[in-house]
Structures are given as structure tokens and as C-alpha cells.
């Protein structure tokens, strides 16, 4: 049988590049679309280096309908994994239109191009942020959705659009993956999370402190109602997230309709526990100061993973120590190459 070809949008980004590695290793043919607004083409070179495989790259923007139509006209695409989006919560509050344009209009453009080309299988990057403020942990997929910032709204809206599309035409296979907190890097140390400027997310901040690029970690809040007072999240190794996409893709090839799945470990970890695990994994000490809470942060949440386990046959494998070791390896090696 001919190998299937998957279009990966945002394939040069943090999660997309790890998914590309898993897809290539599993024998899929790939096409990658990225405008490199938050990534470097070098990451795709490294994906090729890790897998010893090659693929086509389209330097194109989701907002460019013609470019999308041309891409589908030029090659046969069996399914799409749609990572490309803007993801900074604070920036989305300041520039909501930019976020709606890329994350919502960009997704509509992609779906229209797929429809024209009779390509009707898509795995979509959603987020635990769609569960909003009022749902108790562990989060279940059938909870009501309730976004609390423009970034979250773009994910809730895109999910809604995808559900409506599936309801309109039984040909569609749509998998919504709600990621919890991806951290870590590929064990090769060649690809990982490399935000530009001062990191917003905790792990790239910790690795920058560990290597001396930043002086100390500010822990946002020590007075939450959690075991040690710091915020609790469900951290998951990015390679486990990437493997979740492989499972979701296989599910999409076998099922029609639309289904949402959490990708998490099901286990909550506090900021202090994460810092101590990182210190153990790296042998470095992480100076920190407990400061005021960050606006909009929840005290604690983590995933219920039963649905993904049952229907995708997927479960996170990597420990917190592994996540820290791999993040530290990337900081020491890949970050600088
Ligand atoms: P990332 O920024 O590293 O990757 C996104 C990629 O999309 C980048 O390579 C960027 O250049 C590209 N891109 C952005 N706008 C584009 C456009 N208009 N046209 C073409 N390409 C464009 O982000 P990531 O962490 O890999 O996240 C991937 C997806 O997962 C996003 O949809 C994000 O919202 C979602 N997500 C991420 C997290 C997380 O913690 N990293 C959590 C939940 C959900
Ligand atoms: N956090 C922190 N200092 C930082 C960045 C994050 O204490 O510099 C905390 C944050 O309050 C939350 C956890 O780390 O409890 C994870 O934050 P991140 O921004 O990585 O993910 P999010 O909370 O947005 O899912």
C-alpha cells in the first residue's frame, strides 16, 4: 500500500517538529506548511537529521487562501495535522484581531482548501484552556467550554467550527486534541522549545535560569490552595504529545465524525515540585523568588486521560524527571546550534 501523505501546518514549531519526527519514523510522507513567524527553518533540517527522511516544505501563511489552494492542487494530501497558530495569551489580549485572524480565519481557510481538494481528515491542536474557570479537575472532555482570554476563545471557536463541519457532512473525520502542559524536548537534544525573548512558560524560563541566561525564576503565587501553595499543572513530555498525534491520525483514518481527547498525564505537579525535579535532573540549582499571582492563572488543573487511553490506545509514558532531563539537554545542545 502507498504510504499516506500528511500535511503538517506549523511543523517547524515546538510541538509540530516533534510530531513530524514521529510521523516520519512511522512511515508517513509529509508536507510541512509554516510561515516561520515563531520558528526557524533550521528545526526542519534537524527533523530530517533525526529521522534520515526528507519532505516538502511550503513557506506559506494560513491567511493566504491562494497559497493553501495551490498547495492542495500541487500534491495529494490524505490528512492534515493543524498546529499552526499564535499561542501567547498576553499578546492575544493586546492584539485580539491578529489572533482571531490567524487561529480562526486561518483555520477556516485551511478547511475550505481541504474541502475543495476532497481532503476531509484533520487533527486539530486545541488546549486545556478551553475548559475555562469553573470546571473541577480532573477535566473531562464533555465539560462545558468557557474561554477566559482571546487565545482561549480562538480555540473554543475553532472547535465549534470543526464540530459544525462534521455535523454538516458525514465524510469528515475530525479529532480535537486538548493538550495540557507540554514540556521537554526530543531526547536527541536537537529540537525543543525555543521562544524568542523572555519566556512566558515555565520550563523555558527554568532552563534559561539553569544556564545563567536569566538570574532567577519568579514563581507566580505561593498562596494557592494547593499542597505547597504554588500552582499545579499537568506537565506532559512533548514526545508523548507527538505520539498522541500518531494515535489520533490512525483514529481519523478509521472513524468519521468529530471527537475531542485530552492529552495529559492525569497527574498534577506544583511549580515547586517541578523546580525540584529539574534541579535533580540537571544537577543545577534554580534560584527562585515567590512573587504575586499572575493574572488569569488557575490554582490547579489536570486531565482525565481515560478517553484517550480507551479510544486512541494512547497513554503518556515519560516521567517528570525525563521531561526535565530532555529539556536540559536541549538547552545545553540544540538551543545553541
Ligand atoms: P509554536 O509557536 O512553536 O508553533 C506554531 C507554528 O505555527 C510556528 O512554527 C509558527 O511559525 C507557525 N505559524 C504561526 N502562524 C502561522 C501562519 N499564519 N501561517 C503559517 N504558519 C504559522 O507553538 P506550539 O507550542 O508548537 O503549539 C502548536 C499548537 O498547539 C498551537 O495551535 C497551539 O495553540 C497549541 N497548543 C500549544 C500548547 C503549548 O503549551 N505549547 C498548549 C496547548 C495548545
Ligand atoms: N509560572 C511561574 N513562573 C513563570 C511561568 C509560569 O510560576 O515564570 C507558573 C504559572 O503560574 C503556572 C505554571 O507555572 O502555575 C505553568 O505556567 P505556564 O505559563 O507554563 O503554563 P499555563 O499555566 O499557561 O498553562
Amino acid at each position: 500500500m502507498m504510504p499516506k501523505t500528511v500535511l503538517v501546518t506549523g511543523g517547524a514549531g515546538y510541538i509540530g517538529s516533534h510530531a513530524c519526527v514521529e510521523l516520519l519514523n512511522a512511515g508517513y510522507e509529509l508536507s510541512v506548511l509554516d510561515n516561520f513567524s515563531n520558528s526557524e527553518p533550521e528545526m526542519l533540517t534537524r527533523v530530517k537529521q533525526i529521522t534520515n527522511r526528507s519532505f516538502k516544505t511550503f513557506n506559506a501563511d494560513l491567511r493566504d487562501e491562494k497559497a493553501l489552494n495551490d498547495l492542495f492542487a500541487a500534491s495529494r494530501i490524505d490528512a492534515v495535522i493543524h498546529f499552526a497558530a499564535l499561542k501567547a495569551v498576553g499578546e492575544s489580549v493586546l492584539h485580539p484581531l491578529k489572533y482571531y485572524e490567524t487561529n480562526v480565519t486561518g483555520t477556516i481557510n485551511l478547511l475550505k482548501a481541504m474541502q475543495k481538494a476532497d481532503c476531509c481528515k484533520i487533527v486539530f491542536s486545541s488546549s486545556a484552556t478551553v475548559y475555562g474557570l469553573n470546571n473541577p479537575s480532573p477535566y473531562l472532555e464533555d465539560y462545558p467550554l468557557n474561554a477566559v482570554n482571546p487565545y482561549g476563545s480562538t480555540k473554543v471557536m475553532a472547535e465549534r467550527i470543526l464540530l459544525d463541519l462534521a455535523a454538516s457532512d458525514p465524510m469528515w473525520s475530525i479529532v480535537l486534541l486538548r493538550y495540557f502542559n507540554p514540556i521537554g524536548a526530543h531526547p536527541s537534544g536537537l529540537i525543543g522549545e525555543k521562544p524568542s525573548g523572555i519566556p512566558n512558560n515555565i520550563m523555558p524560563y527554568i532552563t534559561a535560569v539553569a544556564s545563567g541566561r536569566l538570574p532567577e525564576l519568579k514563581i507566580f503565587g505561593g498562596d494557592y490552595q494547593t499542597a505547597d501553595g504554588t500552582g499545579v499543572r499537568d506537565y506532559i513530555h512533548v514526545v508523548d504529545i507527538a505520539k498522541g498525534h500518531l494515535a489520533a491520525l490512525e483514529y481519523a483514518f478509521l472513524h468519521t465524525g468529530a471527537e475531542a481527547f485530552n492529552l495529559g498525564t492525569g497527574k498534577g505537579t506544583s511549580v515547586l515540585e517541578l523546580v525540584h525535579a529539574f534541579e535533580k535532573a540537571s544537577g543545577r540549582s534554580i534560584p527562585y523568588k515567590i512573587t504575586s499571582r499572575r493574572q488569569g492563572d488557575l490554582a490547579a488543573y489536570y486531565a482525565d486521560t481515560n478517553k484517550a487511553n480507551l479510544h486512541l490506545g494512547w497513554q503518556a509514558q515519560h516521567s517528570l524527571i525525563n521531561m526535565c532531563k530532555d529539556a536540559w539537554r536541549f538547552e545545553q545542545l540544540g538551543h545553541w546550534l
Side-chain angles (χ1 to χ4, degrees), residues 89 180-181 183 199-205 217-221 224 230-233 235 271 274 294 297-299 301:
V89 171
F180 281 67
N181 285 58
I183 59 170
N200 290 310
N201 295 110
I202 184 114
M203 186 51 97
Y205 207 108
L217 172 70
K218 291 178 194 64
I219 296 184
F220 300 141
Y224 284 111
T230 64
V232 167
R233 296 288 181 272
Y235 298 101
V271 176
L274 180 64
R294 182 171 66 178
D297 269 355
L298 298 182
Y301 61 84

Side-chain angles (χ1 to χ4, degrees), residues 219-265:
I219 296 184
F220 300 141
D223 57 353
Y224 284 111
Q225 293 216 324
T226 58
D228 62 23
T230 64
V232 167
R233 296 288 181 272
D234 185 341
Y235 298 101
I236 171 165
H237 199 298
V238 66
V239 170
D240 279 328
I241 292 266
K243 290 190 167 147
H245 288 76
L246 210 54
L249 193 63
E250 281 155 17
Y251 181 92
F253 280 121
L254 295 175
H255 300 81
T256 54
E259 213 58 64
F261 297 98
N262 290 334
L263 293 187
T265 64

Side-chain angles (χ1 to χ4, degrees), residues 9-17 33-40 60-63 82-87 102-103 124-129 151 155 177-182 193 201:
T9 76
Y14 172 45
I15 305 173
S17 56
L33 175 147
D34 206 300
N35 69 353
F36 304 106
S37 59
N38 197 38
S39 57
E40 295 160 23
D61 196 302
L62 283 177
R63 292 166 299 178
H82 181 31
F83 293 101
L86 301 176
K87 63 164 183 175
T102 298
N103 295 8
F124 175 70
S125 296
S126 189
S127 163
T129 191
Y151 167 70
K155 293 294 177 188
L177 295 180
R178 297 179 182 152
Y179 316 151
F180 281 67
N181 285 58
E193 189 170 16
N201 295 110

Side-chain angles (χ1 to χ4, degrees), residues 91-127:
E91 192 194 27
S92 79
V93 176
L94 297 173
H95 303 290
L97 297 183
K98 186 173 152 188
Y99 272 67
Y100 287 112
E101 189 180 29
T102 298
N103 295 8
V104 180
T105 311
T107 299
I108 294 174
N109 290 343
L110 175 67
L111 294 170
K112 285 199 297 192
M114 289 176 67
Q115 206 166 36
K116 261 190 210 156
D118 276 330
C119 173
C120 51
K121 297 186 193 328
I122 183 167
V123 178
F124 175 70
S125 296
S126 189
S127 163

